[in-house]
Amino acid sequence: MLPPRVLVFAGSARKAALSKRVARAAHIALLEAGADATLIDLADYHAPLYHGDLEAEQGVPEVITRLMAVIDQHDALLIATPEYNGSMPPLLVNTLDWCSRIFAAPGRVAGLDILAQKPVAIVGSSPGALGGLRSLFHLRDLLGNLGMLVMPKQLAVGRSNEAVTSEGHLVDDHVRAAMLGVARALVDATAKLKA
Ligand SMILES: Cc1cc2nc3c(=O)[nH]c(=O)nc-3n(C[C@H](O)[C@H](O)[C@H](O)COP(=O)(O)O)c2cc1C
């Protein structure tokens, strides 16, 4: 059987984002866990803030259609999120909201059908001690509402400005092992679903 294809991205478009470092660390862990993992940058899929009038006039942005095509080519997702005021950053909410607005049409699969039953692992990132833990509860909820299978195992990388290098190397052995645990759980669950 082919290895599970896992798409990884951070919930920040910022060039020097700490969550991008954590996403790189997750990508490395997924490769070690046997996944065929792809790392993308949401900066390449920048969509305007969701607005019903904009949607009625122009439809779903082309970047979102492109992003959903990439998501569709993967068996699972891993999202590394920053924490904003104890919750998810607007970039993630906006991106996922737009993704949910692709409706079925001839030759087109609905966004929610692409996301439904797709396994997803979540990891938090913050320069603070809690590692964005509070944001994970909100993200878990949102992804569940999209019909995704959110992995029970998660990780919050605290002090991520020190805990992970810009190349995605997790400095502490325990944190690196925990990231590998998240990656292995996602790969195993995805492989079982594919079997
Ligand atoms: C609007 C806003 C709210 C924030 N709220 C939190 C928070 O609740 N908890 C936290 O740990 N950090 C918070 N931060 C700090 C972010 O964790 C920090 O800016 C982080 O580097 C942003 O993620 P990024 O590096 O991936 O872009 C907040 C930052 C902003 C801009």
Side-chain angles (χ1 to χ4, degrees), residues 50 55 59-72 94-115 146:
Y50 176 83
E55 182 187 26
V60 173
E62 188 269 335
V63 283
I64 295 295
T65 313
R66 261 198 300 124
L67 175 61
M68 279 307 259
V70 176
I71 290 175
D72 198 21
N94 191 52
T95 303
L96 292 167
D97 281 351
W98 272 121
C99 287
S100 73
R101 300 298 295 174
I102 297 178
F103 297 107
R108 198 170 77 174
V109 183
L112 288 176
D113 288 340
I114 291 172
L115 298 172
L146 294 173

Side-chain angles (χ1 to χ4, degrees), residues 151-170:
M151 291 295 108
K153 208 183 259 286
Q154 62 183 28
L155 175 67
V157 181
R159 309 249 182 264
S160 48
N161 51 323
E162 297 163 5
V164 55
T165 67
S166 49
E167 290 79 31
H169 172 70
L170 286 161

Side-chain angles (χ1 to χ4, degrees), residues 12 14 16-20 82-87 125-128 132 134:
S12 175
R14 202 167 70 82
L18 298 174
S19 54
K20 286 188 188 177
E83 179 173 278
Y84 276 15
N85 296 315
S87 189
S125 157
S126 166
R134 293 174 304 167

Side-chain angles (χ1 to χ4, degrees), residues 29-108:
L30 282 163
L31 294 175
E32 192 177 339
D36 176 2
T38 315
L39 181 63
I40 61 166
D41 187 338
L42 285 188
D44 297 327
Y45 298 91
H46 177 76
L49 185 62
Y50 176 83
H51 189 303
D53 291 344
L54 185 67
E55 182 187 26
E57 286 157 17
Q58 300 177 16
V60 173
E62 188 269 335
V63 283
I64 295 295
T65 313
R66 261 198 300 124
L67 175 61
M68 279 307 259
V70 176
I71 290 175
D72 198 21
Q73 287 158 8
H74 289 80
D75 303 307
L77 302 184
L78 189 149
I79 302 175
T81 184
E83 179 173 278
Y84 276 15
N85 296 315
S87 189
M88 293 164 287
L91 174 68
L92 262 189
V93 179
N94 191 52
T95 303
L96 292 167
D97 281 351
W98 272 121
C99 287
S100 73
R101 300 298 295 174
I102 297 178
F103 297 107
R108 198 170 77 174

